[in-house]
Amino acid sequence: MIAAQAAQAQPVGYEEALEAARAEQPVLEAGALRVEARRVAADAADELPDPRLRAGVMNLPVTGPAAFEIDRQLPSQIAIGIEQEIPNLARRRARSGLAGSEIRLAEARLGMAERNILADAGGAWISLYYAQRRMDLARTALSDLREFVPVANSAVASGSARPAESLMIRRELLEIEDAITAIEASRETAQARLSRYIAADQPVAQGIAPSVDVDSERLRLDLETNPELILADAESERSEAGVRLARSEKRPDFGVSVTYGRRNPDFGDVVSVMGSVTLPIFTDRRQNPRIAAAEADAAAALAERDDRLRGVTARFEADLAAWRSAVRQWERARDELLPLARDRTALETASFAAGRADLVDVIASKSALALLELEILEREQAAVEAAATLRLTYGEDRP
């Protein structure tokens, strides 16, 4: 079973995981197809409407001696013609602008989707990486503690130790075993999350973890180019294009038609050329309400953009504070608590060797040291995850 698992395991580095997350993702493929669809549609946005073919009988008498005889009277004819509607130039430009804004909106949504995927894939890789490190540490600690079990049993058998001490040693072992069970669940969860973005059933994190350092000032300067704000700008631009399209309805549209009429040869065939123009004369009940609605939508889009800027800024400051706190807690545990725990273990071991401490005290100190080292790895993971979230969401690692 171990050999089979090793054969199925596929090592992957952090940058490799991010690159894999950018490629062959169904949601990104769907977003790219939507962008392409908007681009194709934009090519025809400002084209004229299709011409209209007209054909029929004109001025056919239905009463009198010439009823239903098409060649008996002068006006009667079989006519065929073509019509072409010509929207005003402002309308055509507005349609073209609206199509362009739809392209940029689709691109902004694609950028948002890619950012979210990268953030989730990066977090999954970091979780897997530290789950593996904690698992190695916990198994080593458990193996070290088990070496004391025969010594404790011998001490109890010889009468130099109380029988209850063997139970206390078992308790320390159970705490490490519980930690291993929790770590296994974390590792499997991280593997499942990462497998969504890379072609691996049992990925294994390899290499080194991303840096815990971030440039907060640079990230703050880059907030205006955040994908969420780019999306808000695209939505606002589309609303403005809708306003221009609504306003163009107050300008007249034109039309032209050409008709050929076939009559009795004695009268001769005829050609008619006609022009038309729309009359936007009831604007208060037709065009103006639509313009007002479009302007309200545009104002709402601007307000939503301001709200998103506030939200992005607030989340950034909160994420930055969480990163600072995680780094400080990790450094404090690594630089202050860990040396104290190691000193305690060394002193308990020396006291036991000198006969001034019980074996259970040595085992308790080693167990506490192992649990502290696991906690330090958890704090380091929190700091690295916070830094990666800042970079992938607001900084240089984002799409």
Side-chain angles (χ1 to χ4, degrees):
M1 292 179 61
I2 294 176
Q5 292 176 355
Q8 294 176 358
Q10 300 183 30
V12 58
Y14 179 72
E15 294 296 335
E16 183 183 354
L18 294 183
E19 288 299 325
R22 287 188 176 98
E24 299 181 1
Q25 299 301 321
V27 64
L28 298 184
E29 182 180 357
L33 290 173
R34 290 191 181 96
V35 172
E36 182 62 23
R38 302 299 186 275
R39 288 174 178 167
V40 173
D43 294 337
D46 61 346
E47 294 293 324
L48 293 175
D50 291 333
R52 181 176 298 172
L53 181 67
R54 299 176 61 184
V57 177
M58 299 179 62
N59 300 315
L60 177 67
V62 295
T63 61
F68 300 103
E69 296 185 20
I70 198 168
D71 57 353
R72 290 283 300 277
Q73 292 187 355
L74 178 65
S76 300
Q77 57 186 279
I78 297 175
I80 184 170
I82 189 169
E83 294 182 358
Q84 176 64 64
E85 296 180 2
I86 306 175
N88 64 75
L89 186 58
R91 185 192 298 271
R92 293 177 63 186
R93 288 177 176 174
R95 287 175 177 173
S96 179
L98 184 62
S101 67
E102 290 287 349
I103 294 174
R104 287 181 285 277
L105 181 60
E107 291 174 341
R109 287 172 175 167
L110 178 59
M112 279 283 295
E114 185 173 350
R115 184 200 69 170
N116 295 337
I117 285 176
L118 289 179
D120 193 37
W125 187 94
I126 293 172
S127 297
L128 178 59
Y129 175 82
Y130 281 98
Q132 293 172 182
R133 289 188 58 186
R134 293 200 308 273
M135 179 62 72
D136 293 340
L137 177 61
R139 286 175 174 171
T140 300
L142 183 62
S143 177
D144 293 341
L145 288 178
R146 282 175 174 169
E147 294 180 356
F148 287 92
V149 173
V151 179
N153 293 335
S154 299
V156 171
S158 64
S160 59
R162 292 176 288 110
E165 292 184 0
S166 61
L167 300 179
M168 297 177 66
I169 293 173
R170 179 56 184 163
R171 177 183 175 183
E172 301 295 342
L173 293 175
L174 288 175
E175 289 189 12
I176 303 298
E177 291 174 354
D178 284 344
I180 290 176
T181 301
I183 294 170
E184 287 177 345
S186 299
R187 182 183 61 186
E188 292 173 0
T189 301
Q191 285 179 326
R193 289 175 55 196
L194 191 57
S195 296
R196 176 185 177 184
Y197 304 109
I198 65 175
D201 295 332
Q202 295 183 359
V204 175
Q206 71 172 3
I208 59 176
S211 173
V212 74
D213 299 323
V214 297
D215 187 346
S216 59
E217 293 304 320
R218 179 181 175 183
L219 295 179
R220 188 174 283 107
L221 292 175
D222 289 343
L223 286 182
E224 284 290 342
T225 60
N226 188 271
E228 191 168 345
L229 297 182
I230 293 176
L231 176 60
D233 290 336
E235 292 175 345
S236 178
E237 182 182 350
R238 184 182 62 175
S239 299
E240 290 293 338
V243 172
R244 291 190 292 271
L245 182 60
R247 288 174 178 171
S248 69
E249 294 181 2
K250 299 185 74 172
R251 298 188 180 186
D253 297 327
F254 304 93
V256 62
S257 64
V258 178
T259 304
Y260 180 85
R262 184 180 180 280
R263 303 190 299 182
N264 186 308
D266 295 335
F267 303 131
D269 295 345
V270 295
V271 174
S272 301
V273 178
M274 300 289 292
S276 65
V277 60
T278 61
L279 300 175
I281 55 178
F282 300 104
T283 57
D284 289 340
R285 290 184 295 174
R286 297 174 181 172
Q287 287 83 6
N288 287 346
R290 289 193 287 268
I291 293 173
E295 290 175 343
D297 287 338
L302 286 176
E304 289 177 352
R305 199 272 182 190
D306 292 339
D307 182 72
R308 288 188 181 182
L309 176 58
R310 294 183 182 184
V312 169
T313 303
R315 287 196 300 273
F316 169 72
E317 296 297 339
D319 291 342
L320 192 62
W323 167 74
R324 291 195 185 103
S325 175
V327 170
R328 290 171 183 169
Q329 292 183 55
W330 167 53
E331 291 177 342
R332 185 179 297 113
R334 180 195 63 187
D335 300 335
E336 299 180 23
L337 295 179
L338 184 58
L340 292 176
R342 287 174 175 172
D343 291 343
R344 177 195 172 191
T345 300
L347 291 174
E348 292 290 357
T349 302
S351 298
F352 175 73
R356 295 193 300 270
D358 295 331
L359 180 60
V360 68
D361 297 325
V362 177
I363 294 176
S365 66
K366 287 184 173 293
S367 176
L369 175 60
L371 293 175
L372 177 60
E373 289 176 337
L374 292 175
E375 181 183 350
I376 291 174
L377 282 179
E378 291 178 355
R379 295 189 182 190
E380 181 181 349
Q381 175 184 344
V384 173
E385 285 180 342
T389 297
L390 286 170
R391 288 193 297 269
L392 291 170
T393 305
Y394 309 100
E396 65 276 9
D397 290 347
R398 72 167 190 264

